Amino acid sequence: MLQKEELRKQQDAEIQQKIEELTATLGEQSEKLKAVETLVEAKPLVDRRSQDKQDEAARDLEAQKTVQTTISKVPSWFFNTEASPDFVYANATETSADIQLSIDMAMLSGKRQLAQILGEMVSSRMTDFAAQSGGLEDGAVSKEVERVTKSVVADVQLGGYQREKIEVLPNGKTFRAYVRLSYSTADLKRIMAKEIQKNEVLNTKIRRTKAFEELEKEIELSRELKTKNRSRQDAE
């Protein structure tokens, strides 16, 4: 009877041990399952981030290709900054979904560049006139110099420029227009001299300076050259 009781207790102990081992195994499997579920849930987020980075890299690459394509299509003359004593040049480019608007915008941009360049030339020349006339410290002279400079630039913007070159190219869904404008320095000098002669203050002070005499000689030389060229063309 005693042996049976001890055997039963031993069997119960073994059964309890197996139950505990099984419970521990189930616990470990449950933890592993939770870890796998966490990874599965996190994977779409990781994938989205990875996809976002890939998309961003693709956009950057496409932008670089677009820039390279645009540069490769730019007319060679657009990068050539010509220097001439007889003309001032300005290159400009603009884009638009409308072909005519792209041209108009490029022309406007070119005229602004010309106005800025010519304005600086006029301002520098007028300052030399004022310095030789001793009028730099004269408020009235300085005021008239500024006014004449603005008047000459305004005259330039109204007309007198020439469109030397133009090219319109497809640019994705838009058009890109390239233009080159030119303006005769001889015309600029004539306008400047005319404005000075019309101005009572500057006509009195500046026309007596050596700088203005040189300007008049340059204008006369330009006129003579133009006459000779016209005669040569007529003879041909």
Side-chain angles (χ1 to χ4, degrees):
M1 188 69 176
L2 183 59
Q3 289 180 348
K4 289 183 179 181
E5 184 66 24
E6 289 178 356
L7 182 60
R8 187 180 62 79
K9 289 181 179 180
Q10 184 178 356
Q11 290 175 346
D12 290 343
E14 291 176 355
I15 293 173
Q16 183 64 34
Q17 183 178 358
K18 289 182 179 181
I19 291 174
E20 291 176 356
E21 290 175 355
L22 182 59
T23 301
T25 300
L26 290 174
E28 292 176 359
Q29 292 179 347
S30 179
E31 291 297 325
K32 290 180 180 180
L33 182 59
K34 289 181 179 179
V36 171
E37 290 175 347
T38 302
L39 289 174
V40 171
E41 291 175 355
K43 190 174 184 301
L45 178 60
V46 174
D47 288 345
R48 284 196 299 272
R49 290 175 178 174
S50 177
Q51 187 63 46
D52 289 343
K53 289 182 179 179
Q54 292 177 9
D55 292 344
E56 184 178 357
R59 287 193 295 269
D60 290 343
L61 181 60
E62 188 64 28
Q64 292 175 14
K65 289 181 179 179
T66 300
V67 170
Q68 291 173 355
T69 301
T70 300
I71 292 176
S72 67
K73 291 182 178 179
V74 177
S76 58
W77 54 262
F78 190 79
F79 294 113
N80 180 25
T81 305
E82 296 185 10
S84 168
D86 301 318
F87 290 93
V88 174
Y89 298 94
N91 295 337
T93 179
E94 294 290 346
T95 62
S96 174
D98 181 83
I99 187 170
Q100 185 59 51
L101 184 57
S102 70
I103 296 172
D104 293 342
M105 290 171 62
M107 291 289 293
L108 180 59
S109 179
K111 286 194 286 184
R112 286 173 179 166
Q113 289 185 47
L114 276 180
Q116 181 178 357
I117 296 170
L118 296 172
E120 292 173 355
M121 292 175 61
V122 172
S123 179
S124 176
R125 200 71 183 262
M126 293 294 290
T127 300
D128 289 341
F129 294 154
Q132 287 195 20
S133 68
L136 283 179
E137 304 301 325
D138 189 329
V141 172
S142 297
K143 183 178 180 180
E144 292 306 314
V145 164
E146 183 178 353
R147 192 192 67 76
V148 167
T149 299
K150 290 180 178 179
S151 178
V152 172
V153 172
D155 197 307
V156 169
Q157 288 179 311
L158 287 175
Y161 59 86
Q162 297 293 325
R163 190 172 70 190
E164 296 283 332
K165 297 178 183 293
I166 180 172
E167 193 162 344
V168 181
L169 300 175
N171 185 57
K173 296 181 179 180
T174 64
F175 299 94
R176 179 172 287 277
Y178 298 89
V179 299
R180 166 174 288 179
L181 306 184
S182 67
Y183 195 90
S184 168
T185 54
D187 291 342
L188 181 68
K189 293 170 185 176
R190 282 195 291 272
I191 295 173
M192 193 187 313
K194 184 179 179 180
E195 287 296 326
I196 291 173
Q197 292 165 358
K198 289 194 310 182
N199 188 284
E200 184 176 349
V201 174
L202 299 183
N203 188 44
T204 301
K205 288 185 171 291
I206 288 178
R207 290 198 69 179
R208 297 194 299 266
T209 65
K210 184 179 179 180
F212 190 79
E213 290 178 2
E214 291 175 350
L215 176 64
E216 290 183 317
K217 289 178 181 179
E218 291 172 9
I219 294 172
E220 182 60 29
L221 179 60
S222 175
R223 187 179 294 113
E224 291 175 358
L225 288 173
K226 184 177 288 187
T227 301
K228 289 180 180 179
N229 290 334
R230 187 180 298 113
S231 299
R232 189 182 300 111
Q233 291 174 356
D234 292 340
E236 292 175 351

